[in-house]
Amino acid sequence: MRAEQEFIDGLYSRVDALRGDAETSVADALGQGDKPMQARLERDILVAERSGLLAALNAVDGSLCFGRIDLAAGDSHHIGRIGLRRDDAERTPVLIDWRADVARPFYLATGHTPMGLRRRRHITTDGRRVTALHDEFLDVGDRERTGHEDPAGDAVLLAALDSARTGRMSDIVQTIQAAQDEIIRAPHRGVLVVEGGPGTGKTAVALHRAAFLLYEHRELLARRAVLIVGPNPAFLGYIGEVLPALGETGVLLATVGELFPGVRATATDTRAAAAVKGRAAMADVLADVVRDWQSLPDPVVTIEHDREILMLDDGLVKVARERTRAAGLPHNTAREHFEGHILNTLTDLYAERVGTDPYDGSSMLDASDVTQIRDELAENPEVWSAIDQLWPRLSPQRLVADFLADPGGYLSDEDADAVRRPVTRAWTVSDVPLLDEAAELLGDDDRSARARAELERETQVAYAQGVLDVSYASRTYEFDDKDDEDSEVLSAHDIIDAERFAERQEEDDHRSAAERAAADRTWAFGHIIVDEAQELSPMAWRMLMRRSPTRSMTLVGDPAQTAEAAGVGSWQDILQPYVEDRWEHTRLGVNYRTPAEIMDLAAAVVRAEQPDFEPPRSVRSTGVRPWIRATDDLPAAVAGAVAELTPAEGRLAVVAPRHLHRRLAARLDGVTADGEPDLTRTVVLLDPRQSKGLEFDSVLVVEPGLYGTSDLYVALTRATQRLGVLHTGRLPKALADLG
């Protein structure tokens, strides 16, 4: 162990030196230049800290090195979360990044296929101190012994599985299994579906795949970014530390409800409303809604111009509308064409009215006269009022809100009643794909965007002029008492004007690719990972596919856990409209989280409806059977069960229907019923949907008879150690039989 401690000490001495060099260069840079230059340097340094080695070192500090491989040929390599090299001419590796090809035997070598290894060593550390070594000898002829032998080779894995939960997912980089490694390193092309039951590590595999792709395709993905879509904000908080711990920070994590810039979904739909809004047919419904905004006069629109009354009737406007639609442009983009057709129509009407010879009917106007008439009509407010009435500029928010307030005529009476809601109501997750579809149908309002850009530019120029004026004033004060010769030193004011200075600030967009992507609805991501993918609606898939034109995606989920009313569930149904059969499917069949005793109970619930259901195989048994109890006083029983199940270290989840949360929280110290749950607290209260993808040391499931089969299966499989069930009403048959 002493030799490994010496290596770790030397490794961190180098890390400290690298960090010190970086911090010194930052301090030196900030101490130079005038104030505007200092501001730019600060931004440049912020980018470097986000994307460079310093950020990676800070993210993985404390557990940098976790393994070593000794080759039969005599060489050895230490494996870690990031790679480090010496400063010598050969740039000799000191620590091998776990994603490098040379590190693969650490995960794949076996006694049957040693892959050139003599020994594999797992190094356990507490901060910078080595606490344990576990050696696996892969060369059966090797007689050397270290005193740290792990004959089964699973001590580190079992220790990780039995460790107390923290409320945050940990990376599995030390314990990646061979089947998981194959998925993580799968070739970067097309759509890869990773299916797996509870506890199979599919989420962790997807996150490590993101880290691997960022390593393998750094230039592309650093420019285009990786999007990870999760089922809810609590889940994103739960997984949020995994990639930084692997040295990767350039990833955007979001829920479906966060993928439309400027909109945050805070309201909740009924199950019926979510099902209706999620149907693929809603794309055609919204297209019809847009077309209906392109209206015809009823019966005419009158415009007064220069004491003449011009009338746009149904026939004239219909011609303009059909010609505009023929261009095939989105609504807002096409409006400029419609404006042109209407102005031309009005010009012809007016020219005919005032410029026709009364004797022979010939025109008395030349081309310049007609142009002048058109220009004058273009300045008439009544013309623009008419155009706004016939072809209004629309925002996605206005279109969808107005439609949901009055969906009659587009949906059946039953569906219309399900989705109808006041215009002022907050957005729901199911609304966001509708907003995105509306944005596609409407297109950008270029004129408004140009006006905003011009206003922003004027603001930037004014600010730049202020900075230059301050700089000039400060230099004038500085040289007041100096010779004229010294005062001829050029200042920023002498060599750059405000407009050029403002342009230079615009050119330097120091936001990361992930930050820019979050603000841009049309951003095309380099790769997209979707967790709980079976839950997304067809409309949500339309939205995601727009963000992945190359169809480079990893989809993670389990059809057996589909609970959302609009969830597609079937991989074929999800992908066929977009990639037909050009996708790959793989399945993880080993349950690392859930003990066999708990998994047997959960599987029985599903088998009550699907007799041939086969759950993933649990790798461990704790000897602790789950219990099921009836009670007449639910809040008191929950409080007692929480006291019984709460681990000395770790986390407990109480999973209960949402309508019971306030009653239960009132009896539980430090537990709240509203807002997003804080998963780092010892006891947390969740509903079944919120528990998706999470894990806890102990779980208490309340009133299982009120759950659907999928929700109950999810709730029962969140525990790594102990499970209890409390009920006042009827139990599902499978639980009643076992209880």
Side-chain angles (χ1 to χ4, degrees):
M1 189 174 293
R2 178 182 300 174
E4 293 295 2
Q5 186 63 62
E6 290 175 355
F7 173 80
I8 295 294
D9 290 342
L11 183 65
Y12 278 103
S13 294
R14 172 156 182 74
V15 168
D16 290 340
L18 287 169
R19 183 178 288 114
D21 291 343
E23 291 170 349
T24 299
S25 65
V26 168
D28 290 344
L30 287 176
Q32 301 172 3
D34 55 23
K35 295 296 182 183
M37 184 59 71
Q38 179 173 330
R40 295 190 65 198
L41 283 170
E42 288 174 341
R43 291 197 301 272
D44 290 341
I45 291 161
L46 179 62
V47 173
E49 288 183 322
R50 285 177 177 170
S51 60
L53 180 60
L54 184 58
L57 291 174
N58 289 336
V60 303
D61 194 14
S63 55
L64 198 55
C65 175
F66 56 80
R68 191 180 87 185
I69 51 176
D70 297 338
L71 279 65
D75 294 335
S76 295
H77 300 297
H78 281 87
I79 313 298
R81 283 172 168 76
I82 62 173
L84 291 175
R85 295 176 178 270
R86 293 193 177 94
D87 286 332
D88 55 25
E90 291 78 20
R91 300 286 292 158
T92 307
V94 177
L95 187 66
I96 302 296
D97 193 301
W98 67 276
R99 296 165 287 191
D101 282 342
V102 71
R104 287 206 77 181
F106 183 79
Y107 300 108
L108 299 182
T110 65
H112 184 266
T113 309
M115 299 179 70
L117 297 193
R118 179 174 65 89
R119 179 174 59 192
R120 171 169 48 215
R121 166 168 287 180
H122 291 270
I123 303 171
T124 304
T125 59
D126 180 5
R128 302 185 178 195
R129 183 173 62 89
V130 177
T131 59
L133 302 177
H134 298 275
D135 289 339
E136 298 174 66
F137 285 85
L138 304 173
D139 182 352
V140 295
D142 192 337
R143 301 302 178 188
E144 179 186 349
R145 291 297 174 262
T146 65
H148 304 291
E149 284 76 23
D150 175 14
D154 56 7
V156 175
L157 172 63
L158 292 177
L161 298 178
D162 288 331
S163 63
R165 307 298 102 174
T166 66
R168 293 288 181 264
M169 177 182 278
S170 300
D171 66 69
I172 60 168
V173 66
Q174 292 177 259
T175 59
I176 293 171
Q177 302 300 292
Q180 296 171 330
D181 186 81
E182 292 293 336
I183 296 170
I184 290 168
R185 299 173 192 263
H188 177 230
R189 63 176 186 272
V191 177
L192 174 65
V193 173
V194 182
E195 183 178 328
T200 54
K202 54 187 180 295
T203 296
V205 166
L207 294 173
H208 287 69
R209 176 164 169 75
F212 175 76
L213 293 176
L214 285 162
Y215 175 84
E216 282 285 288
H217 308 279
R218 176 73 61 190
E219 184 177 350
L220 169 65
L221 295 184
R223 186 173 66 252
R224 300 308 312 163
V226 172
L227 170 65
I228 297 178
V229 180
N232 55 62
F235 175 84
L236 295 182
Y238 176 66
I239 68 172
E241 296 178 3
V242 174
L243 287 169
L246 300 175
E248 300 296 348
T249 57
V251 175
L252 176 62
L253 278 69
T255 65
V256 168
E258 296 168 336
L259 287 178
F260 193 87
V263 168
R264 187 59 59 97
T266 58
T268 302
D269 268 321
T270 65
R271 186 173 177 83
V276 174
K277 292 178 183 179
R279 294 173 188 161
M282 287 301 297
D284 294 331
V285 169
L286 290 176
D288 290 341
V289 173
V290 171
R291 290 175 68 87
D292 284 348
W293 277 95
Q294 301 162 4
S295 60
L296 297 174
D298 185 21
V300 296
V301 173
T302 60
I303 297 168
E304 182 178 353
H305 183 71
D306 197 19
R307 296 187 298 277
E308 295 288 340
I309 301 298
L310 305 177
M311 290 187 293
L312 289 171
D313 61 22
D314 179 282
L316 292 173
V317 175
K318 181 179 285 187
V319 171
R321 186 175 72 171
E322 294 310 311
R323 288 177 178 174
T324 302
R325 286 177 173 175
L329 298 172
H331 174 89
N332 287 333
T333 308
R335 173 175 156 130
E336 194 166 342
H337 292 260
F338 183 75
E339 293 168 0
H341 290 307
I342 292 298
L343 282 170
N344 290 340
T345 299
L346 291 172
T347 299
D348 292 343
L349 290 174
Y350 187 80
E352 183 179 1
R353 184 82 55 83
V354 302
T356 301
D357 189 309
Y359 297 103
D360 59 12
S362 62
S363 174
M364 298 184 296
L365 305 175
D366 58 22
S368 63
D369 294 327
V370 174
T371 299
Q372 182 177 349
I373 292 170
R374 193 181 191 279
D375 292 342
E376 291 171 351
L377 282 165
E379 295 178 359
N380 186 336
E382 291 192 23
V383 172
W384 295 106
S385 177
I387 291 173
D388 286 338
Q389 175 186 336
L390 299 169
W391 196 292
R393 290 193 183 94
L394 297 169
S395 69
Q397 289 88 333
R398 179 185 176 187
L399 182 83
V400 174
D402 284 0
F403 160 67
L404 293 177
D406 185 17
Y410 298 101
L411 303 173
S412 69
D413 291 343
E414 181 181 359
D415 290 347
D417 289 340
V419 304
R420 185 178 286 107
R421 64 133 193 249
V423 172
T424 56
R425 187 181 171 188
W427 299 109
T428 70
V429 171
S430 302
D431 293 333
V432 170
L434 302 185
L435 290 168
D436 199 72
E437 188 73 29
E440 286 291 304
L441 294 167
L442 295 175
D444 293 328
D445 187 347
D446 290 340
R447 282 192 230 182
S448 297
R450 288 197 298 267
R452 287 195 303 270
E454 183 58 31
L455 179 60
E456 184 176 343
R457 174 171 173 74
E458 290 174 0
T459 303
Q460 290 282 357
V461 170
Y463 175 77
Q465 186 63 58
V467 171
L468 292 174
D469 289 345
V470 170
S471 173
Y472 177 73
S474 65
R475 292 190 66 84
T476 301
Y477 175 79
E478 180 183 350
F479 289 115
D480 273 348
D481 296 327
K482 297 189 177 184
D483 295 337
D484 289 343
E485 182 179 347
D486 290 335
S487 66
E488 292 177 2
V489 175
L490 293 175
S491 70
H493 201 284
D494 298 311
I495 59 177
I496 192 170
D497 60 20
E499 290 201 7
R500 180 56 186 152
F501 189 57
E503 288 173 3
R504 291 191 62 176
Q505 306 313 305
E506 293 172 4
E507 291 166 1
D508 298 332
D509 185 348
H510 291 295
R511 294 176 300 170
S512 68
E515 290 169 328
R516 285 182 280 125
D520 184 355
R521 189 193 68 80
T522 63
W523 189 272
F525 288 91
H527 192 77
I528 295 179
I529 291 175
V530 186
D531 205 304
E532 302 293 350
Q534 76 282 349
E535 303 288 10
L536 270 60
S537 70
M539 289 300 293
W541 282 113
R542 286 177 65 88
M543 177 173 65
L544 283 181
M545 291 298 176
R546 292 188 191 104
R547 286 153 175 77
S548 181
T550 61
R551 303 296 190 259
S552 178
M553 309 177 84
T554 301
L555 310 184
V556 179
D558 179 14
Q561 298 183 57
T562 304
E564 295 293 339
V568 177
S570 161
W571 303 122
Q572 180 66 30
D573 291 345
I574 290 171
L575 295 171
Q576 199 279 333
Y578 304 102
V579 296
E580 296 179 343
D581 60 352
R582 300 187 303 276
W583 52 280
E584 297 181 14
H585 177 273
T586 186
R587 182 174 177 82
L588 294 168
V590 178
N591 186 336
Y592 299 99
R593 176 207 304 141
T594 317
E597 294 84 356
I598 296 176
M599 199 64 219
D600 289 345
L601 179 69
V605 170
V606 181
R607 287 199 184 104
E609 292 187 0
Q610 304 174 35
D612 59 347
F613 173 72
E614 286 297 329
R617 176 180 58 84
S618 295
V619 299
R620 65 195 177 105
S621 172
T622 61
V624 180
R625 296 187 63 79
W627 52 257
I628 302 173
R629 298 173 187 164
T631 180
D632 294 327
D633 186 347
L634 189 63
V638 167
V642 166
E644 174 186 343
L645 290 171
T646 300
E649 295 181 2
R651 302 293 181 270
L652 163 69
V654 179
V655 183
R658 180 59 66 98
H659 71 274
L660 296 176
H661 280 201
R662 289 185 180 275
R663 288 176 57 203
L664 300 182
R667 298 293 297 269
L668 302 174
D669 292 339
V671 175
T672 58
D674 300 316
E676 290 299 327
D678 180 359
L679 300 179
T680 63
R681 300 186 70 89
T682 301
V683 179
V684 63
L685 182 60
L686 306 168
D687 66 36
R689 305 290 173 86
Q690 288 177 313
S691 72
K692 269 185 174 294
L694 308 181
E695 61 182 38
F696 304 88
D697 299 271
S698 301
V699 172
L700 176 64
V701 177
V702 179
E703 297 290 27
L706 301 180
Y707 301 0
T709 299
S710 176
D711 282 341
L712 182 55
Y713 180 57
V714 169
L716 293 173
T717 54
R718 300 304 97 194
T720 65
Q721 302 294 337
R722 295 195 295 169
L723 171 69
V725 178
L726 279 175
H727 67 99
T728 61
R730 286 181 62 249
L731 282 173
K733 184 177 185 303
L735 294 188
D737 293 344
L738 293 171

